[in-house]
Amino acid sequence: MTAPADYHDRLNTDLLARLPLGARHVLEIGCGSGVLARAYRSGNPATDYTGVECDAAAARRAQLACTRVVLGDIEAPACWQALDRLHPATGWDLFVLGDVLEHLRDPLAALSALAARASADARCVACIPNVGHVSLVYQLLQARWDYADEGLLDRTHLRFFTQPTMMALFAQAGWEVQACTARVFEPEATERALLPLLELAPRLGMAPEAMRLHLSAYQWLVEARRSQ
């Protein structure tokens, strides 16, 4: 499948806002054409920024924004071997995974491998789609599960997460989640869609506000630190 024309050039400003300033060594998995790297380094020009990208055309463009780019699949041994040759002596300070984990066959293995290569106070910031979004709940109620070229049911997604399962994944991989923020798109339309479902909250033993949060989150923005 061919990705949308601008797929590798989109800047996730919410993800950018959560990247800690002053990281010395950054490793971004799935750096696309380098738009996030360029934005981060504009305020942190001394940062050593390594990107990993499996799309060759995007990786070539990313070389203009990153310190260096590794062309390859993060789940391939050759990619890890290349990264280990670049590994900073003190480890990477910041890992960035914007809409990456859902594309991996074994996201637990990837997150664990990153933790093993992290500095003592390393941070990991990720953006992950929410399979519990109200739009997908309605699809299931209509006996549908419609894959698309992009979005929550991007046909290249291999793994699906809710907030609790995603947080459990990070914990198992050696990361302590510090913050998990809902990224909500079209809030007025989302609120209208979830109102009928909120009436079920008491029968399901859920607090209405908790249900509202989980149904409205299109993606989760995760900020984690390496477990001590």
Side-chain angles (χ1 to χ4, degrees):
M1 188 199 86
T2 302
D6 65 341
Y7 185 82
H8 298 288
D9 303 315
R10 299 171 185 172
L11 176 61
N12 185 333
T13 55
D14 293 328
L15 183 65
L16 175 64
R18 283 159 178 80
L19 301 185
L21 300 177
R24 294 169 300 168
H25 301 288
V26 179
L27 177 60
E28 182 184 359
I29 310 302
C31 67
S33 64
V35 289
L36 188 69
R38 183 175 292 106
Y40 183 79
R41 295 184 77 200
S42 68
N44 303 268
T47 296
D48 179 72
Y49 202 111
T50 301
V52 175
E53 177 54 50
C54 62
D55 182 271
R60 285 194 295 271
R61 297 198 301 275
Q63 290 175 352
L64 300 176
C66 300
T67 308
R68 67 191 63 80
V69 177
V70 174
L71 174 62
D73 176 358
I74 192 58
E75 296 194 278
C79 187
W80 287 111
Q81 292 165 9
L83 288 175
D84 285 339
R85 289 192 291 270
L86 302 170
H87 187 265
T90 57
W92 272 288
D93 305 303
L94 173 61
F95 300 102
V96 185
L97 301 100
D99 298 288
V100 168
L101 292 172
E102 64 274 15
H103 294 275
L104 303 184
R105 295 180 297 277
D106 192 347
L108 173 60
L111 281 174
S112 299
L114 294 179
R117 293 163 171 81
S119 65
D121 58 350
R123 297 293 187 268
C124 181
V125 182
C127 185
I128 304 169
N130 176 31
V131 75
H133 187 258
V134 62
S135 62
L136 298 189
V137 172
Y138 273 107
Q139 278 205 31
L140 287 172
L141 290 172
Q142 298 165 8
R144 293 166 43 210
W145 187 260
D146 301 332
Y147 286 101
D149 289 341
E150 56 183 318
L152 294 175
L153 291 184
D154 183 320
R155 55 177 49 87
T156 64
H157 289 181
L158 301 179
R159 302 292 180 182
F160 299 91
F161 301 96
T162 61
Q163 186 200 45
T165 59
M166 171 271 301
M167 292 182 69
L169 171 72
F170 273 79
Q172 190 176 354
W175 295 96
E176 180 182 343
V177 176
Q178 302 293 292
C180 187
T181 309
R183 198 174 187 217
V184 180
F185 297 150
E186 301 181 358
E188 293 182 1
T190 298
E191 180 69 15
R192 287 194 300 271
L194 62 82
L195 282 176
L197 297 176
L198 290 178
E199 297 177 6
L200 299 173
R203 298 184 183 182
L204 296 174
M206 291 187 66
E209 285 309 307
M211 180 178 275
R212 174 179 275 109
L213 174 65
H214 289 282
L215 288 172
S216 62
Y218 190 85
Q219 294 167 316
W220 294 107
L221 291 163
V222 183
E223 301 166 67
R225 70 177 182 181
R226 181 184 174 187
S227 298
Q228 301 301 316

